[in-house]
Amino acid sequence: MLCPLTIVLPALIWLSTPPEPTLAASPELARLREDVFHLASPDFEGRRGEGGRAAGDFLIDRLQGLGLEPAFEGRFDQEFTAGGLIGRNIAARLPGTDPERSGSWLILSAHYDHLGIRGGQVYPGADDNATAVAMVLEVARCLLAGPDRPSRGILFVFFDLEEEGLLGSQHFVREPPVPLEQIDLFLTADMLGRSLAGICEDMLFVMGSEHSPEVRPWITEAAAGLPLDVGIVGADLLVIDRSDYGPFRWNEVPFLFFSTGENPVYHTPDDVPETIDYSKLTAATTLIERFVRRAGSVTSLPEWDAERTPWIEEAEAIGQVLRKLLEHKEELRIPGPQRLMMQGMVGRIEQWVEDGSLTASQRSSMVRIAQIVLFTVL
Ligand SMILES: [Zn+2]
């Protein structure tokens, strides 16, 4: 016979321990790694031509498998011709949970094309840009798996023919699946698995907040506890639009561009999946996933700010990069006159950081020097 206590006790224990809450899924290194290896495999022939077509089909399968809706009137793909080439953007949508925000969309994107086969060699493009494609897939999976879906709609977009001059994103803004005025924030990432010049190990750059300063604290808070050194800098450091944020910037859509920066194997056949820093890619994906959750549900997103008001944290980040490059001046073969110019700039930045302020003209002199350095060192 059962003693009554053995019946009562388990019931008490059950009452005092509530069922485990459903935890939001978080980005996983193993999945990111598997996707990067798959996208960079020789089967996709550097994601151009036939191989690009196959990569696009793979992405459509994945978006469908996640249970997302097609973005282009019942289709996941948007074919276009530009510059004598045929391209195909791939996109899916996750409608927001708040019907009152049905006219507000956020885009999370990455280009999926690369350089194809050149001189008989496959350019696998593992960092550029299988890493960011894997990030978008992983963020989509986490948002769908978690209990708190964003209240505004999210479009997950993979652009084609970025390497040919942002052709896919240019076509997308000409024929967007939702009116361009309803796209309140555009996020894109290009190269998330290496480091600037191969030496800025923990650095992740986030560019574009000069037009939406309100999002800066969201970035910093999303980075909390992650092994990343986040440099929030202006996109004008890059002189020309280096990725798919360009066409959105021209249309004054607030944007952010995430990148770990250009590195020695950039656009070479050595951009292989074996040498990607998957821990860094996982950390960057986690940051972006947290950011998207927040931006996807905040009451309002920032409007386009044309002022580009200088911010001192940018000077700190640029100072940090210049110091890093100077530490490696021999191996990077930085010429003497340039070293002097960089050292001078580091000194001035230290002074501004100490003063805690940066004027517009100080910022332009700093940006000019950073541009020269990025052009000649990399
Ligand atoms: Zn790229």
Side-chain angles (χ1 to χ4, degrees):
M1 206 180 124
L2 281 170
C3 160
L5 253 185
T6 54
I7 300 165
V8 173
L9 260 184
L12 281 176
I13 291 164
W14 186 82
L15 280 175
S16 59
T17 40
E20 288 267 314
T22 332
L23 289 174
S26 55
E28 288 171 20
L29 184 145
R31 286 172 197 272
L32 289 161
R33 188 172 195 277
E34 194 182 323
D35 281 342
V36 171
F37 266 85
H38 192 65
L39 287 157
S41 76
D43 297 352
F44 290 138
E45 299 174 347
R47 301 186 300 281
R48 276 297 292 274
E50 299 262 305
R53 190 91 204 167
D57 290 343
F58 164 74
L59 293 173
I60 292 175
D61 273 358
R62 290 293 302 274
L63 294 171
Q64 247 168 344
L66 286 167
L68 290 163
E69 295 177 9
F72 307 105
E73 292 170 359
R75 297 187 63 89
F76 284 100
D77 57 352
Q78 176 188 53
E79 274 202 26
F80 62 92
T81 46
L85 298 163
I86 298 172
R88 191 162 69 126
N89 293 327
I90 310 289
R93 46 192 254 162
L94 174 64
T97 55
D98 183 352
E100 293 201 355
R101 289 201 190 137
S102 58
S104 174
W105 292 88
L106 185 153
I107 290 182
L108 179 64
S109 67
H111 76 84
Y112 74 97
D113 64 303
H114 193 54
L115 303 172
I117 300 174
R118 295 179 175 196
Q121 272 192 300
V122 176
Y123 283 64
D127 188 32
D128 186 10
N129 192 23
T131 52
V133 171
M135 174 280 289
V136 174
L137 288 172
E138 189 57 0
V139 171
R141 184 189 70 81
C142 293
L143 293 184
L144 283 152
D148 303 311
R149 292 201 182 174
S151 62
R152 56 171 55 77
I154 314 279
L155 286 164
F156 301 99
V157 186
F158 301 107
F159 295 112
D160 198 0
L161 300 182
E162 185 269 355
E163 303 285 8
E164 294 296 325
L166 321 180
L167 298 183
S169 48
Q170 290 195 64
H171 180 79
F172 187 96
V173 299
R174 275 196 298 273
E175 287 180 29
V178 301
L180 212 52
E181 329 58 271
Q182 293 187 6
I183 298 170
D184 288 333
L185 185 59
F186 174 81
L187 308 174
T188 200
D190 201 344
M191 306 194 282
L192 291 177
R194 300 192 193 277
S195 71
L196 181 72
I199 56 170
C200 298
E201 287 98 353
D202 296 331
M203 282 203 94
L204 169 74
F205 297 94
V206 187
M207 288 162 263
S209 75
E210 62 271 31
H211 298 298
S212 53
E214 299 94 325
V215 304
R216 278 182 214 133
W218 306 356
I219 302 167
T220 331
E221 284 162 34
L226 296 175
L228 286 173
D229 207 340
V230 181
I232 305 177
V233 296
D236 49 350
L237 273 181
L238 302 175
V239 190
I240 53 159
D241 294 312
R242 295 293 301 274
S243 196
D244 291 309
Y245 61 88
F248 293 85
R249 188 174 73 80
W250 310 333
N251 283 285
E252 302 194 348
V253 175
F255 70 93
L256 290 179
F257 171 43
F258 299 84
S259 180
T260 49
E262 212 169 299
N263 59 87
V265 295
Y266 171 75
H267 283 194
T268 74
D270 295 329
D271 184 7
V272 294
E274 288 80 1
T275 51
I276 293 293
D277 181 345
Y278 291 98
S279 303
K280 188 173 185 181
L281 172 60
T282 309
T285 304
T286 305
L287 184 154
I288 296 169
E289 189 252 350
R290 290 174 180 171
F291 183 91
V292 169
R293 271 189 198 282
R294 181 166 190 172
S297 290
V298 285
T299 320
S300 62
L301 287 167
E303 299 279 312
W304 177 265
D305 180 346
E307 295 296 317
R308 286 184 211 246
T309 311
W311 64 103
I312 194 67
E313 294 78 6
E314 183 190 36
E316 285 180 56
I318 292 175
Q320 192 183 337
V321 170
L322 291 177
R323 275 194 300 272
K324 262 270 186 234
L325 294 171
L326 282 168
E327 277 170 31
H328 296 260
K329 55 184 184 285
E330 304 299 338
E331 59 182 283
L332 292 169
R333 293 198 208 105
I334 302 175
Q338 224 181 81
R339 292 181 193 178
L340 285 176
M341 184 181 75
M342 289 162 75
Q343 272 151 2
M345 195 69 236
V346 167
R348 288 162 70 193
I349 288 175
E350 275 163 8
Q351 189 57 54
W352 301 334
V353 171
E354 207 178 299
D355 300 344
S357 74
L358 185 67
T359 67
S361 77
Q362 286 167 342
R363 177 175 192 265
S364 29
S365 66
M366 173 181 77
V367 167
R368 222 169 20 247
I369 286 184
Q371 286 169 341
I372 296 169
V373 169
L374 290 175
F375 251 98
T376 50
V377 170
L378 296 175

